């Protein structure tokens, strides 16, 4: 028996403790939604993996060495030091990404031209690859009218018109044919020039053609190119690029590597070239000065009958020539040092001090020469000019030869270690990883949805929760799959209204209602009449199912039962008995029909029904009419049991009016749908109207792995053994 209130001291689980058993039970209850959702995500992941375009990788290795002087060290340690340069890896990476290097690649490979086959969005390219019907186009040249700066990739459309001769048509944005041509031939017309190197596809295959600005093409190439240093301060740079076309990304990376190498060599030999040009431009002047000095000396010797220098004068001349040679050497060194240091640097200051010393010594010698005879003094001066110019000329010739050898031997400090090659296997997408991640995401989302739904859903799933607020549970009626099937067929108009108690009397739900019959017998012992009102907190809780089948169960015991549809707004009890709704309760209350005239017989013995009748504009006012009271009194005297099926109390006030005439009031609560608060508010609403709710019928209970303690006849099935 379930008509006794549960103890208020029932053990409650602490809210701070996570019930792992209940969580696991929730997942078991929702196993099919979880499995189906996970399977759908897995299929979605497989589809993505199969349809995704393979992305390949090509990379190359470049070594940036510390610049050594090479041959120049054998010629001139000073020159070798001047042209030796060291660049950090970061600097070299920025140089590779510069427009100077990438711009040459864009120009050489025609990357300002966009050409790609036209496929269905999202899945077209993948389907074409899987079916082996991929198209390919290689455009060598695309030029447009001068006033057009660039075209996007949807401005022009190339249509293949013949796969034998590989002919094509070029359409503009409006679909007009602006150009026709063949592969391997330059097509011109209407301001367009188009040269197609290769075309692979079926007749009718369309291709998008477009033109982007050079700066945009360089920017796109820069974003696609990845450069990194292997290790720390190794000077080994790795250039890598991802793309769909293995051959194209190989060509791009190789071209970038070659352009960077060439600019590095050019940069290393630039200063030597400038110095060489400077020296070569001054050699004629020095040679002219030397010739003039020799001619002047010879002419003076002839005029003065070959004057010879004395030992003292020769010694002075030798010292002066050496001084001039040292001064010239210091001049070269000063030009070199000035490129590397400021005048405040110790090396530069030392060079200037040495130069001042040599100039002072030359001034002293000049004063000493003034003491010689005039003839020897002139010969000494002229001879000095000749020998100094000779040394300068020879020195310049040596420098020119050194610079020529240095320029010819310049190889730069960059070496291409590995040329670009593409990996045979695609680096993206990782197909197994995509499938695994999609499966995990599907499982995680479905599990999270179940747990969040359970956390947010406060529907009653245990009779003890209802009894905790002081309402006894008279019966727990299990959910009937057969009843759901009957309702489904009726909604699709493939079946007729039929009571579960008639179609399957052994159903567990009907057995639970038989238990309710026993419990209700004791509950009505102190009632003022034999009228039972069945209501509920909210719609869709199964009141009509309980009322109709409970009336049928009582009628089968031999008692005469009258079932009244008290919901004049949306009542549908007539459907269960294949009756019409007209000539019902609303007609009785409006005085159109008498009590005997509204009672309709059913195909269930001892069971009569009063339908709702025509939907009135004022159901509550009709229920307040004395005719309703007289009808209840008449029904109570003519039947053993009167059952009133009413609308939900929280929706309308009709149950409060009807309940005043009923001796017993029961509420129907649905498993997992009605909350404890909702049931409690409904009870308070009845109590405010002076109506005592005897108890609750817990409808549509389900067996949950989460551990609800529903009780009744749910876990047992007892049928006859047919042999």
């Amino acid at each position: 028996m379930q008509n006794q209130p549960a103890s208020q001291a029932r053990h409650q689980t602490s809210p701070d403790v996570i019930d792992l058993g209940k969580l696991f039970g929730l997942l078991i209850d929702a196993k099919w939604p979880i499995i189906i959702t996970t399977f759908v995500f897995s299929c979605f992941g497989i589809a993505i993996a199969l349809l995704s375009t393979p992305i390949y990788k090509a990379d190359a290795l470049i070594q940036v060495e510390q610049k050594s002087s090479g041959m120049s060290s054998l010629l001139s340690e000073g020159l070798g030091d001047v042209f030796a340069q060291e660049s950090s890896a970061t600097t070299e990476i920025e140089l590779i990404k510069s427009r100077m290097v990438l711009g040459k690649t864009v120009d050489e490979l025609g990357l300002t031209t966009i050409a790609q086959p036209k496929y269905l969005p999202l899945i077209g390219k993948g389907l074409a690859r899987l079916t082996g019907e991929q198209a390919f186009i290689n455009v060598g040249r695309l030029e447009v009218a001068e006033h057009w700066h660039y075209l996007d990739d949807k401005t022009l459309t190339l249509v293949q018109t013949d796969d034998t001769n590989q002919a094509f048509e070029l359409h503009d944005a409006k679909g007009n044919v602006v150009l026709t041509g063949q592969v391997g031939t330059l097509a011109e017309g209407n301001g367009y020039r188009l040269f197609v190197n290769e075309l692979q596809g079926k007749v009718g295959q369309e291709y998008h053609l477009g033109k982007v600005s050079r700066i945009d093409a360089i920017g796109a190439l820069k974003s696609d190119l990845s450069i990194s240093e292997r290790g720390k301060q190794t000077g080994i740079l790795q250039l890598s690029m991802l793309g769909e076309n293995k051959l194209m990304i190989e060509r791009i990376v190789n071209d970038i590597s070659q352009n960077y190498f060439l600019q590095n060599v050019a940069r290393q030999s630039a200063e030597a070239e400038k110095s060489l040009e400077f020296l070569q431009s001054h050699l004629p002047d020095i040679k002219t000065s030397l010739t003039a000095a020799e001619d002047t000396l010879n002419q003076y010797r002839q005029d003065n009958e070959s004057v010879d220098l004395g030992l003292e004068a020769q010694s002075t001349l030798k010292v002066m020539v050496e001084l001039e040679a040292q001064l010239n050497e210091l001049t070269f060194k000063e030009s070199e040092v000035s490129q590397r240091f400021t005048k405040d640097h110790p090396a530069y200051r030392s060079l200037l001090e040495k130069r001042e010393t040599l100039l002072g010594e030359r001034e002293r010698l000049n004063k000493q020469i003034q003491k010689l005879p005039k003839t020897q003094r002139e010969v000494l001066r002229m001879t000095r000019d000749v020998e100094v110019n000779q040394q300068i000329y020879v020195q310049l010739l040596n420098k020119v030869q050194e610079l020529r050898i240095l320029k010819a031997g310049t190889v730069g400090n960059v070496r291409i270690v590995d040329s670009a090659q593409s990996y045979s296997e695609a680096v993206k997408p990782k197909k197994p990883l995509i499938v695994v991640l999609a499966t995990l995401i599907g499982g995680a989302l479905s599990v999270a949805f179940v747990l969040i739904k359970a956390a947010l859903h406060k529907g009653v799933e245990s009779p003890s929760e209802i009894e905790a607020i002081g309402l006894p549970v008279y019966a727990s009626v299990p959910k009937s799959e057969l009843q759901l099937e009957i309702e489904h067929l009726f909604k699709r108009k493939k079946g007729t209204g039929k009571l579960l108690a008639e179609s399957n009397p052994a159903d567990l739900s009907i057995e639970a209602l038989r238990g309710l019959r026993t419990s209700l017998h004791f509950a009505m012992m102190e009632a003022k009449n034999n009228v039972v009102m069945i209501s509920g907190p909210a719609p869709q809780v199964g009141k009509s199912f309980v009322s109709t089948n409970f009336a049928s169960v009582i009628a089968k015991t031999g008692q005469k039962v009258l079932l009244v549809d008290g919901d004049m707004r949306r009542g549908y009890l007539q459907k269960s008995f294949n009756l019409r709704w007209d000539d019902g309760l609303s007609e009785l209350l409006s005085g159109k029909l008498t009590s005997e005239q509204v009672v309709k017989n059913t195909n269930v013995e001892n069971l009569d029904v009063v339908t709702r009748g025509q939907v009135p504009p004022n159901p509550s006012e009709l229920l307040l009419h004395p005719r309703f009271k007289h009808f209840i009194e008449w029904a109570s005297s003519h039947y053993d049991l009167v059952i009133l099926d009413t609308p939900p109390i929280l929706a309308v006030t009709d149950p409060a009016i009807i309940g005043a005439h009923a001796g017993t009031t029961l509420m129907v609560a649905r498993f997992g749908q009605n909350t404890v608060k909702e049931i409690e508010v409904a009870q308070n609403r009845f109590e405010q109207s002076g109506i005592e709710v005897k108890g609750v019928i817990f409808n549509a209970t389900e067996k949950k792995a989460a551990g609800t303690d529903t009780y009744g006849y749910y876990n047992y099935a007892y049928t006859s053994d047919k042999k």
Side-chain angles (χ1 to χ4, degrees), residues 203-220:
V203 174
Q205 175 66 48
E206 297 183 356
Y207 304 85
H208 287 308
L209 264 67
K211 195 79 173 176
V212 298
S213 63
R214 185 174 184 270
I215 189 65
D216 290 338
I218 294 174

Side-chain angles (χ1 to χ4, degrees), residues 13 17-31 34 450-451 453-455 457 459-465 671-672 701-710 714-715:
T13 304
V17 178
I18 299 177
D19 191 344
L20 296 179
K22 185 174 181 179
L23 294 179
F24 183 74
L26 290 172
L27 300 181
I28 294 297
D29 292 334
K31 59 181 179 296
I34 292 175
V450 170
L451 296 179
K453 181 181 178 182
H457 181 64
V460 176
E461 294 186 354
S462 170
S464 61
E465 297 179 51
F671 177 90
T701 59
E702 301 177 41
K703 186 177 182 180
K704 293 284 188 177
T708 57
D709 55 343
T710 57
Y714 185 73
N715 295 321

Side-chain angles (χ1 to χ4, degrees), residues 403-466:
L403 288 173
R404 285 176 177 173
I405 296 174
L406 179 64
K407 179 183 176 183
T410 300
V411 294
N413 63 328
V414 170
R415 182 165 63 103
I416 299 177
V417 180
D418 290 332
S419 60
Q421 285 189 348
S422 297
Y423 293 90
S424 57
E425 298 293 333
V427 296
K428 292 191 304 185
K430 303 292 185 182
K431 296 183 179 181
L433 182 61
I434 290 177
V435 176
V436 171
L437 287 178
T439 303
L440 293 177
I441 291 173
L445 288 178
S446 57
V447 170
F449 176 77
V450 170
L451 296 179
I452 293 174
K453 181 181 178 182
L456 298 178
H457 181 64
K458 302 299 182 180
V460 176
E461 294 186 354
S462 170
S464 61
E465 297 179 51
I466 301 175

Side-chain angles (χ1 to χ4, degrees), residues 625-642:
H625 199 279
R627 292 192 189 96
F628 182 67
K629 178 181 179 182
H630 297 326
F631 169 69
I632 295 298
E633 292 174 352
W634 175 87
S636 178
S637 62
H638 285 77
Y639 290 89
D640 298 321
L641 180 64
V642 179

Side-chain angles (χ1 to χ4, degrees), residues 254-395:
N254 275 328
D255 195 78
I256 293 174
S257 302
Q258 190 65 27
N259 289 336
Y260 170 64
F261 171 76
L262 293 177
Q263 70 83 29
N264 181 267
V265 173
R267 179 163 58 101
Q268 296 293 343
S269 61
E271 293 185 15
E273 175 68 22
K274 290 175 64 177
S275 299
L276 184 61
E277 291 177 358
F278 174 78
L279 294 178
Q280 286 178 337
S281 65
H282 283 73
L283 272 176
D285 296 337
I286 300 298
K287 187 175 182 180
T288 301
S289 299
L290 175 61
T291 303
E294 289 177 343
D295 292 343
T296 301
L297 177 62
N298 292 333
Q299 185 65 37
Y300 187 82
R301 285 181 179 273
Q302 291 176 4
D303 294 342
N304 294 277
E305 298 179 355
S306 182
V307 177
D308 293 328
L309 296 175
L311 294 177
E312 183 180 359
Q314 290 181 357
S315 176
T316 303
L317 176 63
K318 182 177 180 181
V319 173
M320 291 189 65
V321 170
E322 289 179 355
L323 280 176
E324 292 294 338
Q326 292 181 23
L327 286 172
N328 289 331
E329 184 67 27
L330 285 179
T331 301
F332 281 111
K333 287 186 177 181
E334 183 180 1
S335 64
E336 297 169 4
V337 172
S338 63
Q339 298 179 20
R340 303 175 63 181
F341 309 112
T342 64
K343 291 186 178 182
D344 294 331
H345 193 275
Y348 205 137
R349 292 173 61 184
S350 175
L351 185 146
L352 293 177
E353 291 174 358
K354 186 176 181 181
R355 184 175 182 177
E356 290 294 330
T357 303
L358 292 177
L359 289 174
E361 183 64 20
R362 187 176 67 176
E363 184 66 22
R364 186 186 66 81
L365 289 176
N366 286 332
K367 291 180 180 180
Q368 186 177 347
I369 292 174
Q370 296 298 324
K371 298 178 181 180
L372 296 175
K374 180 180 178 182
T375 303
Q376 289 191 1
R377 189 168 65 244
E378 290 296 327
V379 171
L380 179 63
R381 180 181 62 78
M382 294 179 184
T383 305
R384 181 196 63 185
D385 292 341
V386 170
E387 292 190 8
V388 168
N389 285 328
Q390 283 180 343
Q391 284 198 0
I392 293 175
Y393 184 69
V394 171
Q395 194 173 17

Side-chain angles (χ1 to χ4, degrees), residues 508-526:
L508 292 179
S509 299
I510 304 304
E511 289 295 337
L513 292 177
R514 291 193 181 98
L516 174 62
R517 176 188 62 191
T518 305
S519 302
L520 188 61
H521 172 72
F522 293 99
M524 295 180 62
M525 292 181 64
E526 298 180 358

Side-chain angles (χ1 to χ4, degrees), residues 133-190:
E133 298 181 355
Q134 276 186 293
F136 176 75
I137 184 172
N138 181 8
V139 176
R141 180 180 179 186
L142 174 62
E143 297 180 3
V144 297
E146 294 181 358
H147 62 279
W148 291 354
H149 296 289
Y150 65 91
L151 301 167
D152 60 37
D153 60 353
K154 295 183 180 179
T155 301
L156 301 176
T157 301
L158 186 143
V159 181
Q160 188 170 350
T161 57
D162 188 352
D163 55 356
T164 303
N165 298 324
Q166 291 189 311
F168 59 82
E169 294 179 348
L170 186 64
H171 298 249
D172 61 12
K174 297 180 179 179
N176 301 321
V177 179
V178 296
L179 201 63
T180 58
Q182 290 184 344
V183 174
T185 303
L186 179 64
E188 297 183 74
N190 298 320

